[in-house]
Amino acid sequence: MEQHRTRPPQRRPRPPQSPLRPRGGVAEAAAPRVPAPAARRVPPVVRTLRRLPSPRLTGLGAGLFAAATMFGIGCLDEWLFDGEPLVYGALFLPVSALTALWVRGADLVTAPIGVPIAFAFGTIPISGGEGGFGGQTMAVVTALAVQAGWLYGGTLVAGVIASVRKIRQMGRRQHARDLAVRAQGGPGTGAGVGAGAATKAGGAVVRRG
């Protein structure tokens, strides 16, 4: 009798594992981990400005605020620093910036107009005019001519801030309009196109008939 030789079972090499892992009978690729975006650091100056009060004044209110503030600064300058033009002009710049920041969006154009008037009104205490209304007026005009650099600088600051606010306001309005158009025309556009195509097809059938 012949004896059959038995061979030991040979192990087959395993196929390389694919990056797809089955999940519920469907192969899904392992999603790569996306690192979380780093938190954007806000400069300390911006954080300080955000903590400041932000009222919304009308055009008249912003003009009165600037005029009253500059008149008070002029009185303090005359009392403490003997009417030093440098102190008055340097303090005019932040007042111009606050006036342009606090005026409401509908009256942004009034900020660059009201600021020079407030500057002229505030020079009354430090102009040193004598001899009645005419003498006081000439003293104010002379003070404005001497401090023309500060006057133009403060007006420029107010104009730049008002222009930036106006551009941002227009951008927000345009973005809101785009969102409204997408919300109204998104789902309804397909239905309107389908209805128009069906109407045209119906008219063609009627004409053929």
Side-chain angles (χ1 to χ4, degrees):
M1 297 180 64
E2 295 181 0
Q3 295 180 356
H4 297 280
R5 295 180 181 180
T6 59
R7 296 181 180 179
Q10 298 180 357
R11 296 182 179 180
R12 297 180 179 179
R14 295 181 178 178
Q17 296 181 357
S18 62
L20 301 178
R21 52 182 180 181
R23 189 174 183 181
V26 180
E28 295 181 359
R33 294 183 178 179
V34 180
R40 186 177 180 181
R41 298 183 61 182
V42 181
V45 178
V46 177
R47 285 182 292 181
T48 304
L49 292 176
R50 289 179 178 177
R51 294 175 184 174
L52 293 176
S54 182
R56 284 294 172 259
L57 304 175
T58 62
L60 179 60
L64 292 176
F65 161 76
T69 305
M70 292 310 301
F71 187 80
I73 290 175
C75 293
L76 291 177
D77 186 18
E78 178 66 22
W79 180 38
L80 298 177
F81 303 100
D82 197 16
E84 178 62 32
L86 179 62
V87 177
Y88 181 80
L91 293 178
F92 174 63
L93 300 180
V95 172
S96 301
L98 291 177
T99 303
L101 286 173
W102 288 353
V103 68
R104 64 181 185 178
D107 299 329
L108 285 173
V109 70
T110 60
I113 299 175
V115 162
I117 299 175
F119 185 88
F121 183 70
T123 55
I124 295 176
I126 64 175
S127 60
E130 297 178 357
F133 180 76
Q136 187 67 43
T137 303
M138 291 301 299
V140 170
V141 172
T142 304
L144 291 178
V146 172
Q147 303 184 24
W150 294 110
L151 176 61
Y152 295 150
T155 306
L156 180 62
V157 169
V160 169
I161 294 177
S163 300
V164 171
R165 287 188 57 192
K166 187 65 176 179
I167 293 173
R168 294 183 61 184
Q169 183 181 8
M170 293 172 62
R172 286 193 297 265
R173 288 180 179 177
Q174 185 64 32
H175 183 64
R177 291 175 183 174
D178 294 342
L179 292 179
V181 169
R182 291 178 183 176
Q184 294 178 0
T189 304
V193 172
T199 304
K200 292 181 180 180
V205 172
V206 171
R207 291 178 181 177
R208 289 180 181 178

